[in-house]
Coordinates of all heavy atoms in Angstrom, one line a residue:
W1070 N 89.7 128.9 107.8 CA 90.7 127.9 108.5 C 92.0 128.4 108.1 O 92.3 128.8 107.0 CB 90.3 126.5 108.3 CG 89.8 126.2 107.0 CD1 88.5 126.4 106.5 CD2 90.4 125.5 105.8 NE1 88.3 125.8 105.2 CE2 89.5 125.4 104.8 CE3 91.6 125.0 105.7 CZ2 89.7 124.8 103.7 CZ3 92.0 124.5 104.5 CH2 91.1 124.3 103.5
S1071 N 92.9 128.2 109.0 CA 94.3 128.6 108.8 C 95.2 127.6 108.5 O 95.1 126.5 109.0 CB 94.9 129.5 109.9 OG 95.0 128.7 111.0
Y1072 N 96.3 127.9 107.7 CA 97.3 126.9 107.4 C 98.0 126.4 108.5 O 98.4 125.1 108.6 CB 98.3 127.5 106.3 CG 99.4 126.6 105.9 CD1 99.2 125.6 105.1 CD2 100.6 126.9 106.4 CE1 100.1 124.7 104.8 CE2 101.7 126.0 106.0 CZ 101.4 125.0 105.3 OH 102.5 124.2 104.9
S1073 N 98.4 127.2 109.4 CA 99.1 126.9 110.5 C 98.5 125.8 111.4 O 99.0 125.0 112.0 CB 99.5 128.1 111.4 OG 98.4 128.8 111.9
K1074 N 97.2 126.1 111.7 CA 96.4 125.2 112.4 C 96.3 123.8 111.9 O 96.5 122.8 112.4 CB 95.0 125.7 112.7 CG 94.8 126.8 113.6 CD 93.5 127.2 113.9 CE 93.5 128.4 115.0 NZ 92.1 128.7 115.2
I1075 N 96.0 123.7 110.5 CA 95.9 122.4 109.7 C 97.3 121.7 109.9 O 97.4 120.6 110.1 CB 95.5 122.6 108.3 CG1 94.2 123.3 108.3 CG2 95.7 121.4 107.5 CD1 93.0 122.3 108.5
L1076 N 98.4 122.6 109.7 CA 99.8 121.9 109.7 C 100.1 121.5 111.1 O 100.7 120.3 111.2 CB 100.7 123.1 109.3 CG 102.2 122.6 109.3 CD1 102.3 121.5 108.2 CD2 103.2 123.8 109.0
S1077 N 99.6 122.2 112.1 CA 99.9 121.6 113.5 C 99.2 120.4 113.8 O 99.6 119.5 114.5 CB 99.6 122.7 114.6 OG 98.2 123.0 114.5
I1078 N 97.9 120.3 113.3 CA 97.1 119.0 113.5 C 97.8 117.8 112.7 O 98.0 116.8 113.3 CB 95.7 119.2 112.8 CG1 94.8 120.3 113.9 CG2 94.9 117.9 112.8 CD1 93.5 120.7 113.2
C1079 N 98.3 118.1 111.5 CA 99.0 117.1 110.9 C 100.2 116.6 111.4 O 100.5 115.5 111.6 CB 99.2 117.4 109.4 SG 97.8 117.6 108.3
A1080 N 100.9 117.6 112.0 CA 102.3 117.2 112.7 C 102.0 116.6 114.0 O 102.8 115.6 114.3 CB 103.0 118.5 112.9
M1081 N 100.9 116.9 114.5 CA 100.7 116.3 115.9 C 100.3 114.8 115.6 O 100.7 113.9 116.4 CB 99.6 117.0 116.7 CG 99.4 116.5 118.0 SD 98.2 117.4 119.0 CE 96.7 117.4 117.9
S1082 N 99.4 114.6 114.6 CA 99.0 113.2 114.4 C 100.1 112.3 113.8 O 100.3 111.2 114.3 CB 97.8 113.3 113.5 OG 98.3 113.6 112.0
V1083 N 101.0 112.9 113.0 CA 102.1 112.2 112.4 C 103.1 112.0 113.6 O 103.7 110.7 113.6 CB 102.7 113.0 111.3 CG1 104.1 112.2 110.9 CG2 101.7 112.9 110.1
G1084 N 103.4 112.9 114.4 CA 104.3 112.7 115.5 C 103.9 111.5 116.4 O 104.6 110.6 116.8
V1085 N 102.6 111.5 116.9 CA 102.1 110.5 117.7 C 102.1 109.1 117.0 O 102.6 108.0 117.7 CB 100.7 110.8 118.2 CG1 100.1 109.6 118.9 CG2 100.6 112.0 119.1
G1086 N 101.7 109.0 115.8 CA 101.8 107.8 115.0 C 103.3 107.3 114.9 O 103.6 106.1 115.0
Y1087 N 104.2 108.2 114.7 CA 105.6 107.7 114.5 C 106.2 107.4 115.8 O 106.9 106.3 115.8 CB 106.5 109.0 114.1 CG 107.9 108.7 113.8 CD1 108.2 108.1 112.8 CD2 108.9 109.1 114.8 CE1 109.7 107.8 112.5 CE2 110.2 108.8 114.5 CZ 110.6 108.1 113.4 OH 111.9 107.9 113.3
I1088 N 105.8 107.9 116.9 CA 106.4 107.5 118.2 C 105.8 106.2 118.5 O 106.6 105.2 118.9 CB 106.0 108.5 119.3 CG1 106.9 109.7 119.2 CG2 106.1 107.9 120.7 CD1 106.4 111.0 120.0
I1089 N 104.5 105.9 118.3 CA 104.0 104.6 118.5 C 104.5 103.5 117.6 O 105.1 102.4 118.1 CB 102.4 104.6 118.3 CG1 101.8 105.4 119.4 CG2 101.8 103.2 118.2 CD1 100.4 105.7 119.2
R1090 N 104.7 103.8 116.4 CA 105.2 102.8 115.4 C 106.8 102.6 115.4 O 107.2 101.5 115.2 CB 104.9 103.1 114.0 CG 103.4 102.9 113.7 CD 103.0 103.2 112.4 NE 103.2 104.6 112.0 CZ 103.9 105.0 111.0 NH1 104.6 104.3 110.2 NH2 104.0 106.3 110.7
S1091 N 107.5 103.6 115.8 CA 109.0 103.5 115.8 C 109.6 103.3 117.3 O 110.7 102.9 117.4 CB 109.6 104.8 115.3 OG 109.1 104.9 113.9
V1092 N 108.9 103.7 118.3 CA 109.4 103.5 119.6 C 108.7 102.4 120.4 O 109.5 101.5 121.0 CB 109.4 104.9 120.4 CG1 110.0 104.8 121.8 CG2 110.2 105.9 119.6
I1093 N 107.5 102.5 120.5 CA 106.7 101.6 121.3 C 106.6 100.1 120.8 O 106.7 99.1 121.3 CB 105.3 102.2 121.6 CG1 105.5 103.5 122.5 CG2 104.5 101.2 122.5 CD1 104.3 104.1 122.7
A1094 N 106.4 100.2 119.4 CA 106.2 98.9 118.7 C 107.4 97.9 118.8 O 107.1 96.8 119.1 CB 105.6 99.0 117.3
P1095 N 108.6 98.4 118.6 CA 109.8 97.5 118.8 C 110.0 96.9 120.2 O 110.3 95.7 120.2 CB 111.0 98.5 118.3 CG 110.4 99.5 117.5 CD 109.0 99.8 117.9
F1096 N 109.7 97.8 121.2 CA 109.7 97.2 122.4 C 108.7 96.2 122.7 O 109.0 95.1 123.5 CB 109.6 98.3 123.5 CG 110.8 99.2 123.6 CD1 110.8 100.6 123.5 CD2 112.1 98.7 123.9 CE1 111.8 101.4 123.5 CE2 113.2 99.5 123.9 CZ 113.0 100.8 123.8
C1097 N 107.5 96.4 122.2 CA 106.5 95.3 122.3 C 106.7 94.0 121.4 O 106.3 93.0 121.8 CB 105.1 95.9 121.8 SG 104.5 97.1 122.8
S1098 N 107.5 94.3 120.4 CA 107.8 93.0 119.6 C 108.9 92.3 120.2 O 109.2 91.0 119.9 CB 108.3 93.5 118.3 OG 109.5 94.1 118.1
L1099 N 109.5 92.8 121.2 CA 110.5 92.0 122.0 C 109.7 90.9 123.0 O 110.3 89.8 123.1 CB 111.4 92.9 123.0 CG 112.4 93.8 122.3 CD1 113.2 94.7 123.2 CD2 113.4 93.0 121.5
I1100 N 108.6 91.3 123.3 CA 107.7 90.4 124.2 C 107.2 89.3 123.2 O 107.4 88.1 123.5 CB 106.6 91.2 124.8 CG1 107.1 92.3 125.7 CG2 105.6 90.3 125.5 CD1 106.2 93.3 126.1
Y1101 N 106.6 89.7 122.1 CA 106.0 88.8 121.2 C 106.0 89.5 119.7 O 105.4 90.6 119.6 CB 104.6 88.3 121.6 CG 104.0 87.3 120.8 CD1 104.5 86.1 120.6 CD2 102.9 87.6 120.0 CE1 104.1 85.0 119.8 CE2 102.2 86.6 119.2 CZ 102.9 85.4 119.1 OH 102.2 84.5 118.2
G1102 N 106.6 88.9 118.7 CA 106.6 89.6 117.5 C 105.4 90.0 116.8 O 105.3 91.2 116.5
N1103 N 104.3 89.3 117.0 CA 103.0 89.7 116.4 C 102.3 90.8 117.3 O 101.6 91.5 116.8 CB 102.0 88.5 116.3 CG 102.5 87.6 115.3 OD1 103.2 87.9 114.3 ND2 102.1 86.3 115.5
F1104 N 102.8 90.9 118.6 CA 102.3 91.9 119.4 C 102.9 93.3 118.9 O 102.0 94.3 118.9 CB 102.6 91.7 120.8 CG 102.0 92.6 121.7 CD1 100.6 92.9 121.9 CD2 102.9 93.4 122.7 CE1 100.2 93.7 122.8 CE2 102.5 94.4 123.6 CZ 101.0 94.5 123.6
G1105 N 104.0 93.2 118.5 CA 104.6 94.6 117.9 C 103.8 94.9 116.6 O 103.8 96.2 116.4
T1106 N 103.6 94.0 115.8 CA 102.9 94.3 114.5 C 101.5 94.9 114.8 O 101.1 95.9 114.1 CB 102.8 93.1 113.7 OG1 104.1 92.5 113.6 CG2 102.1 93.3 112.4
G1107 N 100.8 94.4 115.8 CA 99.5 94.8 116.1 C 99.6 96.3 116.7 O 98.7 97.1 116.4
I1108 N 100.5 96.5 117.5 CA 100.7 97.8 118.1 C 101.0 98.8 117.0 O 100.6 100.0 117.1 CB 101.8 97.9 119.2 CG1 101.4 97.1 120.4 CG2 102.2 99.3 119.5 CD1 100.2 97.6 121.2
S1109 N 101.9 98.4 116.1 CA 102.2 99.3 114.9 C 101.0 99.6 114.0 O 100.8 100.8 113.7 CB 103.4 98.7 114.0 OG 103.6 99.5 112.9
M1110 N 100.2 98.7 113.8 CA 99.0 98.9 113.1 C 98.0 99.8 113.8 O 97.3 100.6 113.1 CB 98.3 97.6 112.7 CG 99.0 96.9 111.6 SD 99.1 97.7 110.2 CE 100.9 97.7 109.8
A1111 N 97.8 99.5 115.1 CA 97.0 100.4 115.9 C 97.5 101.8 116.0 O 96.8 102.8 116.0 CB 97.0 99.8 117.4
G1112 N 98.9 102.0 115.9 CA 99.3 103.4 115.8 C 99.0 104.0 114.5 O 98.8 105.2 114.4
L1113 N 99.1 103.3 113.4 CA 98.8 103.8 112.1 C 97.2 104.2 112.1 O 96.8 105.3 111.6 CB 99.0 102.8 111.0 CG 98.7 103.2 109.5 CD1 99.6 104.4 109.2 CD2 98.9 102.1 108.7
V1114 N 96.3 103.3 112.6 CA 94.9 103.6 112.7 C 94.6 104.8 113.5 O 93.8 105.7 113.1 CB 94.1 102.5 113.2 CG1 92.7 102.8 113.5 CG2 94.2 101.4 112.1
Y1115 N 95.4 105.0 114.5 CA 95.2 106.1 115.5 C 95.7 107.4 114.9 O 94.9 108.5 115.0 CB 95.9 105.9 116.8 CG 95.7 107.0 117.9 CD1 94.5 107.2 118.5 CD2 96.8 107.9 118.2 CE1 94.4 108.1 119.4 CE2 96.6 108.9 119.0 CZ 95.4 109.0 119.7 OH 95.2 110.1 120.6
M1116 N 96.7 107.3 114.0 CA 97.2 108.5 113.4 C 96.1 108.9 112.3 O 95.8 110.2 112.3 CB 98.5 108.2 112.6 CG 99.0 109.4 112.0 SD 100.6 108.9 111.0 CE 99.7 108.2 109.4
I1117 N 95.6 108.0 111.6 CA 94.6 108.3 110.6 C 93.4 108.9 111.3 O 92.7 110.0 110.8 CB 94.1 107.1 109.7 CG1 95.5 106.7 108.9 CG2 93.0 107.4 108.9 CD1 95.2 105.3 108.3
L1118 N 92.8 108.3 112.4 CA 91.7 108.9 113.0 C 91.9 110.3 113.6 O 91.2 111.2 113.5 CB 91.1 107.9 114.0 CG 90.5 106.7 113.5 CD1 90.2 105.8 114.8 CD2 89.3 107.0 112.9
M1119 N 93.1 110.5 114.2 CA 93.4 111.7 114.8 C 93.5 112.8 113.7 O 93.1 113.9 113.9 CB 94.9 111.6 115.5 CG 95.1 112.7 116.4 SD 96.7 112.2 117.4 CE 96.9 113.7 118.2
L1120 N 94.2 112.5 112.6 CA 94.2 113.4 111.5 C 92.9 113.7 110.9 O 92.5 115.0 110.8 CB 95.1 112.8 110.4 CG 95.2 113.7 109.2 CD1 96.0 115.0 109.4 CD2 96.0 113.0 108.0
Y1121 N 92.0 112.8 110.7 CA 90.7 113.0 110.1 C 89.8 113.9 111.0 O 89.2 114.8 110.6 CB 90.1 111.6 109.9 CG 88.6 111.7 109.4 CD1 88.3 112.0 108.0 CD2 87.4 111.6 110.2 CE1 87.0 112.1 107.5 CE2 86.2 111.7 109.8 CZ 86.0 111.9 108.4 OH 84.7 112.0 108.0
E1122 N 89.8 113.5 112.3 CA 88.9 114.2 113.2 C 89.4 115.7 113.5 O 88.6 116.7 113.5 CB 88.9 113.5 114.6 CG 88.0 112.2 114.6 CD 86.5 112.5 114.0 OE1 85.9 113.5 114.5 OE2 86.1 111.5 113.3
G1123 N 90.8 115.9 113.6 CA 91.2 117.2 113.7 C 91.0 118.1 112.6 O 90.5 119.3 112.7
V1124 N 91.3 117.6 111.3 CA 91.0 118.4 110.1 C 89.5 118.6 110.0 O 89.1 119.8 109.6 CB 91.5 117.7 108.9 CG1 91.1 118.5 107.7 CG2 93.1 117.7 108.9
N1125 N 88.6 117.7 110.3 CA 87.3 117.9 110.2 C 86.8 118.9 111.2 O 85.8 119.6 110.8 CB 86.4 116.5 110.6 CG 85.1 116.5 110.0 OD1 84.7 117.3 109.3 ND2 84.3 115.5 110.6
A1126 N 87.3 118.8 112.4 CA 86.8 119.9 113.4 C 87.3 121.3 113.0 O 86.6 122.2 113.3 CB 87.3 119.6 114.7
E1127 N 88.5 121.4 112.4 CA 89.0 122.7 112.1 C 88.4 123.4 111.0 O 88.0 124.5 110.9 CB 90.5 122.6 111.8 CG 91.2 123.9 111.5 CD 91.1 124.9 112.5 OE1 91.0 124.7 113.8 OE2 91.0 126.1 112.1
T1128 N 88.1 122.5 109.9 CA 87.6 123.1 108.6 C 86.0 123.3 108.6 O 85.6 124.4 108.1 CB 88.1 122.2 107.4 OG1 87.5 120.9 107.5 CG2 89.5 122.2 107.1
G1129 N 85.3 122.5 109.1 CA 83.9 122.4 109.1 C 83.2 122.4 107.8 O 82.1 122.9 107.5
L1130 N 83.9 121.7 106.7 CA 83.5 121.6 105.4 C 82.4 120.6 105.3 O 82.4 119.7 106.2 CB 84.6 121.3 104.5 CG 85.6 122.4 104.3 CD1 86.8 121.8 103.5 CD2 85.1 123.6 103.6
T1131 N 81.5 120.5 104.3 CA 80.5 119.5 104.2 C 80.6 119.1 102.7 O 81.0 119.8 101.8 CB 79.1 120.1 104.4 OG1 78.8 121.2 103.6 CG2 79.0 120.4 105.9
G1132 N 79.9 117.9 102.4 CA 79.9 117.5 101.1 C 81.1 117.0 100.4 O 82.2 116.5 101.1
N1133 N 81.2 117.4 99.2 CA 82.4 117.0 98.3 C 83.7 117.6 98.7 O 84.8 117.0 98.7 CB 82.2 117.1 96.8 CG 81.2 116.0 96.4 OD1 81.0 115.0 96.8 ND2 80.6 116.3 95.2
K1134 N 83.5 118.8 99.2 CA 84.7 119.6 99.5 C 85.5 118.9 100.7 O 86.6 118.9 100.8 CB 84.5 121.0 100.0 CG 84.1 121.9 98.7 CD 83.7 123.4 99.3 CE 83.4 124.2 98.1 NZ 83.1 125.6 98.5
K1135 N 84.7 118.4 101.6 CA 85.1 117.7 102.8 C 86.0 116.5 102.4 O 87.0 116.2 102.9 CB 84.0 117.3 103.6 CG 84.5 116.5 105.0 CD 83.1 116.2 105.8 CE 83.4 115.2 106.8 NZ 82.0 114.9 107.5
I1136 N 85.4 115.7 101.4 CA 86.2 114.5 101.0 C 87.5 114.9 100.3 O 88.4 114.2 100.5 CB 85.3 113.7 99.9 CG1 84.0 113.2 100.7 CG2 85.9 112.7 99.3 CD1 83.0 112.6 99.8
Y1137 N 87.4 116.0 99.4 CA 88.7 116.4 98.7 C 89.7 116.9 99.7 O 90.9 116.6 99.5 CB 88.3 117.5 97.7 CG 87.4 117.1 96.6 CD1 86.4 117.8 96.1 CD2 87.5 115.7 95.9 CE1 85.7 117.3 95.1 CE2 86.7 115.2 95.0 CZ 85.8 116.2 94.6 OH 85.0 115.6 93.6
V1138 N 89.4 117.6 100.7 CA 90.3 118.0 101.7 C 90.9 117.0 102.5 O 92.0 116.9 102.7 CB 89.7 119.3 102.7 CG1 90.5 119.5 103.8 CG2 89.3 120.5 101.9
H1139 N 90.0 116.0 103.0 CA 90.5 115.0 103.6 C 91.6 114.0 102.8 O 92.5 113.5 103.3 CB 89.4 114.0 104.3 CG 88.8 114.7 105.4 ND1 89.5 115.1 106.5 CD2 87.5 115.1 105.7 CE1 88.7 115.6 107.3 NE2 87.5 115.6 106.9
A1140 N 91.1 113.9 101.5 CA 92.0 113.0 100.6 C 93.3 113.7 100.4 O 94.4 113.1 100.5 CB 91.3 112.8 99.3
A1141 N 93.3 115.0 100.3 CA 94.6 115.7 100.0 C 95.5 115.6 101.3 O 96.7 115.4 101.3 CB 94.3 117.1 99.7
C1142 N 94.9 115.8 102.5 CA 95.6 115.8 103.7 C 96.2 114.4 104.0 O 97.3 114.4 104.4 CB 94.7 116.4 104.9 SG 94.5 118.1 104.9
L1143 N 95.3 113.4 103.8 CA 95.8 112.0 104.1 C 96.9 111.7 103.1 O 97.8 111.0 103.4 CB 94.6 111.1 104.1 CG 93.8 111.0 105.2 CD1 92.5 110.2 104.9 CD2 94.5 110.5 106.3
G1144 N 96.7 112.0 101.8 CA 97.7 111.6 100.8 C 99.0 112.3 101.1 O 100.1 111.7 101.0
I1145 N 99.2 113.6 101.4 CA 100.3 114.3 101.7 C 101.0 113.8 103.0 O 102.2 113.6 103.0 CB 100.1 115.8 101.8 CG1 99.7 116.4 100.5 CG2 101.3 116.5 102.5 CD1 99.2 117.8 100.5
T1146 N 100.1 113.5 104.0 CA 100.7 112.9 105.3 C 101.3 111.5 105.2 O 102.4 111.2 105.7 CB 99.5 112.9 106.4 OG1 98.9 114.2 106.5 CG2 100.1 112.4 107.7
F1147 N 100.6 110.7 104.3 CA 101.2 109.4 103.9 C 102.5 109.5 103.2 O 103.4 108.7 103.4 CB 100.1 108.5 103.3 CG 99.2 107.9 104.1 CD1 97.8 107.8 103.8 CD2 99.6 107.4 105.3 CE1 96.9 107.3 104.6 CE2 98.5 106.9 106.2 CZ 97.1 106.8 105.7
L1148 N 102.5 110.4 102.2 CA 103.8 110.6 101.5 C 104.9 110.9 102.4 O 106.1 110.5 102.3 CB 103.6 111.6 100.3 CG 102.8 111.2 99.2 CD1 102.6 112.4 98.1 CD2 103.5 110.1 98.4
I1149 N 104.6 112.0 103.2 CA 105.8 112.5 104.1 C 106.1 111.4 105.2 O 107.3 111.1 105.5 CB 105.3 113.6 105.0 CG1 105.1 114.9 103.9 CG2 106.1 114.0 106.0 CD1 104.4 116.1 104.5
T1150 N 105.1 110.7 105.6 CA 105.3 109.6 106.7 C 106.1 108.5 106.0 O 107.0 108.0 106.7 CB 104.0 109.1 107.3 OG1 103.3 110.2 107.8 CG2 104.3 108.1 108.4
F1151 N 105.8 107.9 105.0 CA 106.4 106.7 104.5 C 107.6 106.9 103.7 O 108.3 106.0 103.5 CB 105.3 105.8 103.7 CG 104.3 105.3 104.7 CD1 102.9 105.8 104.4 CD2 104.5 104.5 105.7 CE1 102.0 105.3 105.3 CE2 103.6 104.1 106.4 CZ 102.4 104.5 106.4
L1152 N 107.7 108.1 103.1 CA 109.0 108.3 102.2 C 110.1 108.9 103.1 O 111.3 108.7 102.7 CB 108.6 109.4 101.2 CG 107.7 108.9 100.1 CD1 107.5 110.0 99.0 CD2 108.3 107.7 99.3
F1153 N 109.9 109.5 104.2 CA 111.0 110.0 105.1 C 111.1 109.2 106.3 O 111.5 109.1 107.1 CB 110.8 111.4 105.3 CG 110.8 112.2 104.0 CD1 109.5 112.8 103.6 CD2 112.1 112.5 103.3 CE1 109.5 113.6 102.4 CE2 112.0 113.2 102.1 CZ 110.7 113.8 101.7

């Protein structure tokens, strides 16, 4: 598996999650405050699932290696997403 493919999968999932949480959710909160919060959480869950499935399809790892790779990718993605 290549670094550029993993990086593009991570960037695509973070980009979609960011658009949902930063663009769509504020507009939905204008309708009803809790609706915007629900859309924001749905965007976060969608980002995690998209990242997990994309990395899983690309790497094809099994067992403990799969868990370690997913934990590292999710950890780095969360750091980048929430710190910047």
Side-chain angles (χ1 to χ4, degrees):
W1070 33 286
S1071 70
Y1072 174 75
S1073 61
K1074 287 185 181 180
I1075 298 289
L1076 183 65
S1077 65
I1078 291 169
C1079 291
M1081 186 174 59
S1082 68
V1083 169
V1085 170
Y1087 181 77
I1088 289 172
I1089 291 172
R1090 289 184 291 124
S1091 297
V1092 176
I1093 297 173
F1096 287 124
C1097 293
S1098 67
L1099 293 175
I1100 298 169
Y1101 181 65
N1103 291 336
F1104 184 59
T1106 303
I1108 294 294
S1109 179
M1110 290 299 121
L1113 181 66
V1114 168
Y1115 183 73
M1116 181 187 81
I1117 292 169
L1118 288 176
M1119 192 172 171
L1120 178 67
Y1121 177 80
E1122 291 297 326
V1124 170
N1125 195 21
E1127 178 61 33
T1128 59
L1130 297 173
T1131 59
N1133 287 339
K1134 288 182 181 180
K1135 179 177 163 181
I1136 295 169
Y1137 296 143
V1138 167
H1139 286 302
C1142 285
L1143 283 174
I1145 291 169
T1146 303
F1147 281 139
L1148 283 174
I1149 291 170
T1150 302
F1151 293 118
L1152 291 179
F1153 299 107

